[in-house]
Amino acid sequence: MKNKDLIIKILSKSYIFILLLLMYLPVLVLVIFSFTDTVNLFAWDVFTFDLYVRLFQNEEIMTAIGNTLLIALISSLLAAALGTFGAIGAHELGKRSKRVYEFANNIPVVNPEIVLSLSLIIMFVFLGNYVFQGFEKSFWTLLVGHLVLTTPFVYLSVKPKLLQMDPALYEAALDLGCTPTQAMRKVTYPAVLPGVMSGFMLAFTLSLDDFIITAFLTGPGLLSGQESIQTISTYVQGIIKKRPLPPEMRALCALILVAVIVVVFSIFFYQNKKKGALKKRKGRIYERA
């Protein structure tokens, strides 16, 4: 029996190791070859930072990066606000109204992006032909598409924090002389802030990574000027139809990976530091008691 358990344990760990290897080995190879100028990924040339230098000198790539970050930042900030207010409003609704609201919120979550994109472009064309004359895709149509994609996820991130909050705290704030706005700002918002931050990060990631909605709804604006807005995803899709990707993209992928690792570790250390401070505070309270 012990041998059988040992074999199962070894096989399960080997399975996890193989999965992790298949997931991260291509990324590791990409990072390693971002320090060489060779086109062939199976032939190492000379260690150099030329790809990183050329990356920042490539105007097309830098414009795509700037557009991507601007769209992601603007849409995630608006989605965080809309999703938070929507979650707080839905929290105060009756059971039947809340079910309807949550059902409507979950539709964009489970719907494929292609369905969202087609429905949005049909809506914009209809409004352009019958309501507002002269429909043209622009930054605003793209922003609406990203908001439709990301706002429901912010709602789902804030909702659990509202359920965890003691409703008596808000009522106590009103009894102590706060106006509803002050009670919201001093009681409700601090309680849901972790959910708002996680929803903002999720919305930022979804917007940063989106391709289908961007491809359908993009128009002129932002750093592209009068030309159609190019994000990283649409830029890559447009390049691979004509020629191989430029080697500078390896450097870009490496920088994105480093940025993600820094953010994840920063959040991890912040949470550990916060837990440590909370334990010390509880220890002092017990000592005084």
Side-chain angles (χ1 to χ4, degrees), residues 154-265:
V154 178
Y155 172 89
L156 293 175
S157 299
V158 176
K159 177 186 171 183
K161 296 300 179 182
L162 287 169
L163 295 176
Q164 294 171 8
M165 187 183 72
D166 187 357
L169 294 175
Y170 181 82
E171 296 174 1
L174 295 177
D175 292 338
L176 292 173
C178 286
T179 63
T181 303
Q182 291 174 332
M184 185 78 66
R185 179 167 52 86
K186 295 181 178 180
V187 177
T188 305
Y189 184 71
V192 302
L193 184 58
V196 176
M197 294 304 298
S198 62
F200 169 80
M201 293 300 297
L202 182 58
F204 187 85
T205 304
L206 288 170
S207 179
L208 202 70
D209 190 48
D210 178 74
F211 167 72
I212 298 177
I213 289 178
T214 303
F216 272 79
L217 301 177
T218 189
L222 292 181
L223 301 181
S224 300
Q226 298 300 319
E227 298 180 359
S228 183
I229 296 173
Q230 288 281 355
T231 62
I232 296 174
S233 58
T234 57
Y235 170 78
V236 170
Q237 191 267 347
I239 288 293
I240 59 177
K241 293 194 298 184
K242 303 175 184 177
R243 61 182 188 274
L245 280 175
E248 293 91 333
M249 292 302 297
R250 302 202 295 262
L252 176 61
C253 292
L255 291 176
I256 293 175
L257 178 64
V258 171
V260 170
I261 292 174
V262 169
V263 171
V264 170
F265 273 95

Side-chain angles (χ1 to χ4, degrees), residues 99-111:
R99 288 176 184 173
V100 175
Y101 188 92
E102 291 184 350
F103 176 78
N105 179 82
N106 290 334
I107 291 176
V109 175
V110 298
N111 246 350

Side-chain angles (χ1 to χ4, degrees), residues 121-132 135:
I121 195 65
I122 291 172
M123 180 192 72
F124 286 130
V125 171
F126 174 81
L127 292 176
N129 290 335
Y130 297 99
V131 182
F132 307 103
F135 165 76

Side-chain angles (χ1 to χ4, degrees), residues 27 30-31 34-35 49 51-53 55-56 61-62 65 248-263:
V27 179
L30 195 65
V31 172
S34 69
F35 296 101
F49 288 96
L51 290 184
Y52 291 89
V53 176
L55 170 65
F56 290 99
I61 296 179
M62 295 308 297
I65 294 172
E248 293 91 333
M249 292 302 297
R250 302 202 295 262
L252 176 61
C253 292
L255 291 176
I256 293 175
L257 178 64
V258 171
V260 170
I261 292 174
V262 169
V263 171

Side-chain angles (χ1 to χ4, degrees), residues 67-76 78-80 82 108 113 116-117 120 124 138-154 202-218 229 231 233-234:
N67 287 334
T68 304
L69 293 176
L70 283 174
I71 294 169
L73 182 61
I74 296 171
S75 64
S76 55
L78 291 175
L82 292 173
E113 281 190 47
L116 290 177
S117 303
L120 285 171
F124 286 130
S138 64
F139 162 72
W140 300 107
T141 59
L142 181 58
L143 179 61
V144 170
H146 280 245
L147 287 176
V148 171
L149 173 67
T150 57
T151 303
F153 290 94
V154 178
L202 182 58
F204 187 85
T205 304
L206 288 170
S207 179
L208 202 70
D209 190 48
D210 178 74
F211 167 72
I212 298 177
I213 289 178
T214 303
F216 272 79
L217 301 177
T218 189
I229 296 173
T231 62
S233 58
T234 57

